[in-house]
Amino acid sequence: MEGLIDNIAETKSVLSIQSHVVHGYVGNKASSFPLQMLNWEVDLLNTVNLSNHTGYGSFKGSASTKSDLLTIFEGLKKINVEYDALLTGYSSGYDTLEAVGDICIGIKNNEKSEKNVTWLLDTVMGDEGVLYVDENVIPVYKKLLESQLVDIITPNQFELEILLDHKITCLETLKKEMKLFHEKYKVKHVILSTLYADGFQELEGGPETLYCCVSSISVPDKLILYKIDKIDGYFTGVGDMFSALLLDRITKLNDIIPATNQALSVMKKVLTVTKHFSGKSGSINDANMKDCELRVIECKNIYNDNEELYQPIFIPK
């Protein structure tokens, strides 16, 4: 038993407000176990409670109401729970998202707490031109950003275009929109999780190539791009796990460039393992989708990897 305590590190705490499924891995189910393996104490507040991901074509369950979330959070306040970080993702409607905002803004503005709370907001609204939430959540997301209390945001290209009401068609418009985002919302780090290469003449690659783009106040004169080859298949929960890994790395490294690289590199390994074990390419409403759930447990020894598999591409602003 000698030296036992010396080898145990103190945990950090995070309140994760996302979706919940009984079967499979999206939302809180995709985020909580990796964060726990990375030495985080994870408190889960579920915006929906479903049997499984909606992409199966069949599911049962219900959405949490604004009152549900605020009542549960009131219970947390009564026992004086404090957090080092906030991780917020999918909310199905505007009232639920308003509750998420009330909770997070309240935590960030808590003058009694000595903690410097980091808020990562994943604006889960849609992808590739398709919304999968009610349109009335869009002004609520803008309102949350206008609080100027969000530290990190992880939209995909479509979601960033929605938030700024502008299309991103080339690197010049991308630079302009990123600059506008920082100026308007005071967000420290904007990580554009998915940028489609075939929509940009200046970017190498075609339909099977994606880019992750980082814009940060800590690197004021450059955008950082990471070129990513798509892994064939339909995977759910990828963005949820990526945001969790990114929150962990930014908190620990305090450097957005290696933090993003490591999070992307872990995700590549997780998807490679998932693809290997599934052996199939699932799609929305496909019978094979069950086989394509992220292999969250099998990858338990991967989450702490610090390998950086991607070469940063620096683009002058």
Side-chain angles (χ1 to χ4, degrees), residues 54-302:
T54 57
Y56 278 69
S58 172
F59 66 94
K60 295 291 184 180
S62 60
S64 300
T65 66
K66 182 175 184 177
S67 176
D68 291 335
L69 296 182
L70 294 177
T71 298
I72 292 172
F73 181 65
E74 190 63 31
L76 295 172
K77 287 202 298 183
K78 284 185 178 298
I79 60 172
N80 299 317
V81 178
E82 293 189 349
Y83 298 101
D84 297 290
L86 302 167
L87 176 61
T88 58
Y90 176 80
S91 292
S92 58
Y94 77 95
D95 59 336
T96 307
L97 187 57
E98 282 183 339
V100 173
D102 291 345
I103 290 167
C104 293
I105 290 170
I107 290 173
K108 290 281 288 187
N109 283 333
N110 183 7
E111 295 179 356
K112 295 180 181 179
S113 175
E114 296 181 359
K115 290 182 178 291
N116 183 19
V117 183
T118 300
W119 182 2
L120 189 152
L121 173 65
D122 186 7
T123 52
V124 184
M125 291 186 286
D127 199 4
E128 298 187 67
V130 179
L131 270 179
Y132 40 69
V133 295
D134 293 335
E135 285 190 16
N136 57 15
V137 306
I138 297 172
V140 183
Y141 271 119
K142 291 180 180 179
K143 185 178 177 182
L144 299 190
L145 289 165
E146 286 166 1
S147 73
Q148 300 188 357
L149 294 172
V150 175
D151 299 286
I152 309 160
I153 188 169
T154 56
N156 57 40
Q157 180 178 343
F158 176 59
E159 290 162 344
L160 187 67
E161 290 172 342
I162 289 173
L163 292 170
L164 290 172
D165 298 313
H166 289 106
K167 283 285 186 182
I168 299 171
T169 57
C170 62
L171 285 180
E172 284 306 311
T173 57
L174 178 61
K175 294 175 190 178
K176 180 180 177 181
E177 297 309 312
M178 288 294 202
K179 183 175 183 291
L180 176 62
F181 207 96
H182 287 296
E183 291 176 349
K184 186 174 183 179
Y185 298 127
K186 308 302 180 187
V187 176
K188 296 175 185 174
H189 309 296
V190 181
I191 293 85
L192 191 56
S193 59
T194 309
L195 192 66
Y196 298 100
D198 55 350
F200 286 72
Q201 290 185 348
E202 307 101 319
L203 297 179
E204 294 181 357
E208 299 307 309
T209 305
L210 303 174
Y211 285 82
C212 175
C213 176
V214 176
S215 180
S216 172
I217 61 171
S218 62
V219 191
D221 57 341
K222 297 181 181 69
L223 294 179
I224 303 101
L225 297 181
Y226 297 96
K227 184 181 178 183
I228 302 165
D229 294 325
K230 291 173 68 175
I231 296 175
D232 184 45
Y234 182 84
F235 306 100
T236 60
V238 176
D240 305 320
M241 185 183 287
F242 171 72
S243 293
L245 294 169
L246 184 65
L247 176 64
D248 171 73
R249 294 311 198 275
I250 289 177
T251 304
K252 291 174 179 174
L253 300 176
N254 198 31
D255 188 331
I256 191 64
I257 297 176
T260 306
N261 203 334
Q262 288 184 24
L264 289 171
S265 299
V266 170
M267 284 309 309
K268 180 177 182 178
K269 294 177 184 180
V270 171
L271 292 179
T272 300
V273 170
T274 299
K275 179 70 175 176
H276 171 79
F277 280 104
S278 69
K280 300 172 182 177
S281 297
S283 61
I284 285 286
N285 300 331
D286 189 287
N288 293 330
M289 187 165 172
K290 185 179 178 185
D291 298 311
C292 296
E293 293 281 4
L294 294 178
R295 300 293 171 147
V296 173
I297 307 302
E298 291 89 334
C299 294
K300 63 182 180 296
N301 295 323
I302 293 175

Side-chain angles (χ1 to χ4, degrees), residues 42-66:
V42 187
D43 283 1
L44 305 177
L45 193 49
N46 300 324
T47 56
V48 297
N49 294 280
L50 303 179
S51 57
N52 50 270
H53 185 263
T54 57
Y56 278 69
S58 172
F59 66 94
K60 295 291 184 180
S62 60
S64 300
T65 66
K66 182 175 184 177

Side-chain angles (χ1 to χ4, degrees), residues 13-63:
S13 60
V14 58
L15 177 62
S16 181
I17 313 177
Q18 302 187 72
S19 62
H20 169 76
V21 290
V22 174
H23 172 81
Y25 294 99
V26 295
N28 274 331
K29 283 284 292 290
S31 303
S32 57
F33 183 70
L35 283 170
Q36 288 167 331
M37 292 298 294
L38 292 165
N39 210 39
W40 286 84
E41 187 70 48
V42 187
D43 283 1
L44 305 177
L45 193 49
N46 300 324
T47 56
V48 297
N49 294 280
L50 303 179
S51 57
N52 50 270
H53 185 263
T54 57
Y56 278 69
S58 172
F59 66 94
K60 295 291 184 180
S62 60

